[in-house]
Amino acid sequence: MDTNIVIIGAGVVGLAIAQELSKWFDDVYLIEKNTTFGQETSSRNSEVIHSGIYYPKGSLKATICVEGKKLLYDYCLQKQIAHKKIGKLVVSTNASEDTILYSILQQAQNNNVTDAQLLSLDEIKQLEPHINATTALYFPSTGIVDSFSLMKQLENDAINQGVQVLYKKEITAIRKITNGYELTVNENDEQFSFTASIVINAGGLYADKIAAMVGIHDLSYTIHYWKGEYFSVTNGKHKLLNHLIYPTPNPNNTGLGIHATLDINSRLKLGPNALYLNTKILDYSVNKDHLESFYNAAIKFLPFIELHDLQPDQAGVRPKLQKPGDTFRDFIICNETNKGFKNFINLIGIESPGLTSCLAIAKKVKKLIQ
């Protein structure tokens, strides 16, 4: 074999896997079709370190998020990566939302999230005097991270541990061979091939296509593109919030509802919404016509927001396993030995809480190698 391990995709998950595996294995390659790391989903999100409260008990999303949160905070402290344990409030504004709030509290406890606090109106006002809420759940350990600095540090660690990181190289074909795989790469319209014993598919938005290249045609692996837009809140309004503020989610929503997040530089953003991209064409524009719907969603719990405060900010696309109307789908993290592809490890549908979980995902992948 030309090399031992090839990781496809240099988003935050691929970088975390490279950083973890290079502690244990030699000849690790990380291949990315873009000019640098994190150009897609990993750099277009809320940068939130999640608690793991929304996912079904025992699901991979629940367990790996709770584990990943601790690992990520420890890594950020060790490596001096900018982050802040800012805390999150999930707020209720009426009696029907209270019922949803109590179910979230129960789900959090089921998932071993131990820091949940149910707040009264007076307690809410002490933490957030400017918001509108009758009841709230407070999660002090929810935080934010500088995702670029995190990815840069993961890349540096991986390289220092011997990983060969190759940008502007797109995998175009994968063929199973004896004891491994032959991968064909396109670089500047020229093709070359090499072999590897182990292939790890961390291809994000393209992970289902990469799985299909090797011959894994599983309809349950089909990725659906969901766009999420953000609007920034200007005119100094960030000074009126101290925490992340989330509404109670609609049970039928494919996201968590439009929420208010502060980033590491205290910029205040609203978002994301959830727009199904039927054509699967990447579109990172923000539609100004959605401004009013963002305002109407936020004004319920942020009464200080005015329409002219909002400006189009950024958009991201999530690689979800659900199409409209589908129920919960978990992460797929699987060594495909049972399908006849030993040590071809698929990571499919890695969306939120993928950033929070990246280091825990990397440890899981290491355990899957046979």
Side-chain angles (χ1 to χ4, degrees):
M1 294 294 163
D2 296 320
T3 191
N4 186 19
I5 298 174
V6 170
I7 302 158
I8 303 170
V12 70
V13 171
L15 290 163
I17 293 168
Q19 184 263 355
E20 175 66 23
L21 296 189
S22 54
K23 298 174 188 174
W24 308 93
F25 300 97
D26 294 326
D27 295 329
V28 178
Y29 280 69
L30 176 61
I31 294 184
E32 168 59 52
K33 65 182 175 61
N34 288 305
T35 55
T36 188
F37 59 77
Q39 292 295 287
E40 292 165 0
T41 310
S42 297
S43 59
R44 296 171 174 274
N45 56 67
S46 302
E47 298 186 298
V48 172
I49 301 175
H50 289 288
S51 294
I53 62 176
Y54 296 107
Y55 319 110
K57 181 181 179 180
S59 66
L60 203 49
K61 284 184 177 179
T63 57
I64 219 161
C65 182
V66 173
E67 178 191 352
K69 178 181 68 172
K70 182 182 186 308
L71 291 172
L72 187 54
Y73 277 131
D74 290 347
Y75 186 73
C76 288
L77 283 170
Q78 177 194 352
K79 302 291 184 176
Q80 297 182 311
I81 298 164
H83 69 288
K84 196 179 295 182
K85 205 174 280 190
I86 193 173
K88 170 171 82 174
L89 274 72
V90 185
V91 300
S92 164
T93 58
N94 58 55
S96 64
E97 291 179 347
D98 284 350
T99 304
I100 300 171
L101 209 62
Y102 296 137
S103 69
I104 294 171
L105 176 59
Q106 184 63 57
Q107 192 68 60
Q109 292 167 343
N110 290 344
N111 292 350
N112 297 315
V113 178
T114 58
D115 66 334
Q117 301 173 29
L118 192 62
L119 302 183
S120 66
L121 183 58
D122 288 343
E123 290 168 324
I124 294 167
K125 290 301 177 189
Q126 287 177 21
L127 290 177
E128 290 289 358
H130 302 291
I131 70 169
N132 176 38
T134 53
T135 319
L137 279 176
Y138 178 40
F139 295 93
S141 68
T142 299
I144 50 177
V145 64
D146 179 345
S147 59
F148 175 85
S149 296
L150 170 63
M151 289 189 282
K152 186 62 181 172
Q153 186 64 55
L154 289 167
E155 184 198 45
N156 286 345
D157 285 357
I159 291 169
N160 290 337
Q161 289 160 191
V163 175
Q164 298 290 319
V165 182
L166 306 175
Y167 292 117
K168 296 195 290 185
K169 293 173 177 59
E170 183 174 4
I171 303 291
T172 57
I174 307 172
R175 184 171 67 91
K176 188 180 185 304
I177 58 175
T178 304
N179 299 323
Y181 300 89
E182 181 187 65
L183 299 96
T184 302
V185 177
N186 181 57
E187 181 185 16
N188 299 325
D189 294 326
E190 292 187 9
Q191 305 274 334
F192 67 92
S193 297
F194 68 100
T195 57
S197 301
I198 299 162
V199 176
I200 296 163
N201 172 17
L205 292 163
Y206 308 96
D208 55 347
K209 292 180 180 177
I210 292 165
M213 283 180 194
V214 80
I216 299 172
H217 302 284
D218 188 329
L219 288 178
S220 70
Y221 285 11
T222 302
I223 286 172
H224 300 276
Y225 286 11
W226 289 83
K227 180 177 176 178
E229 299 171 312
Y230 293 85
F231 281 78
S232 56
V233 182
T234 62
N235 299 322
K237 297 292 176 74
H238 67 278
K239 297 173 184 175
L240 301 178
L241 281 187
N242 304 309
H243 304 79
L244 311 175
I245 310 294
Y246 283 62
T248 53
N250 181 334
N252 298 319
N253 202 340
T254 50
L256 299 176
I258 289 168
H259 44 271
T261 58
L262 294 160
D263 69 14
I264 212 73
N265 298 312
S266 297
R267 288 179 66 247
L268 176 57
K269 287 190 299 189
L270 299 178
N273 53 3
L275 307 171
Y276 183 61
L277 299 183
N278 195 35
T279 60
K280 293 187 81 169
I281 295 172
L282 289 181
D283 173 16
Y284 293 123
S285 64
V286 178
N287 188 336
K288 292 180 181 179
D289 293 342
H290 295 158
L291 187 150
E292 199 160 328
S293 66
F294 272 71
Y295 169 77
N296 289 334
I299 196 70
K300 294 176 185 175
F301 56 95
L302 302 179
F304 55 82
I305 295 285
E306 296 177 81
L307 198 61
H308 65 266
D309 294 331
L310 303 189
Q311 299 289 335
D313 191 277
Q314 68 168 3
V317 177
R318 286 162 274 186
K320 297 181 77 69
L321 289 167
Q322 299 107 302
K323 60 182 183 300
D326 287 351
T327 55
F328 173 81
R329 287 291 306 277
D330 208 353
F331 288 157
I332 294 170
I333 304 174
C334 179
N335 189 322
E336 301 288 7
T337 302
N338 290 342
K339 289 186 171 76
F341 299 92
K342 182 179 178 180
N343 283 335
F344 192 97
I345 297 174
N346 269 324
L347 294 96
I348 314 279
I350 310 297
E351 44 146 349
S352 183
L355 175 65
T356 305
S357 308
C358 65
L359 296 172
I361 290 171
K363 288 184 179 297
K364 180 171 178 62
V365 167
K366 191 258 176 183
K367 290 177 183 175
L368 287 174
I369 291 173
Q370 297 173 357

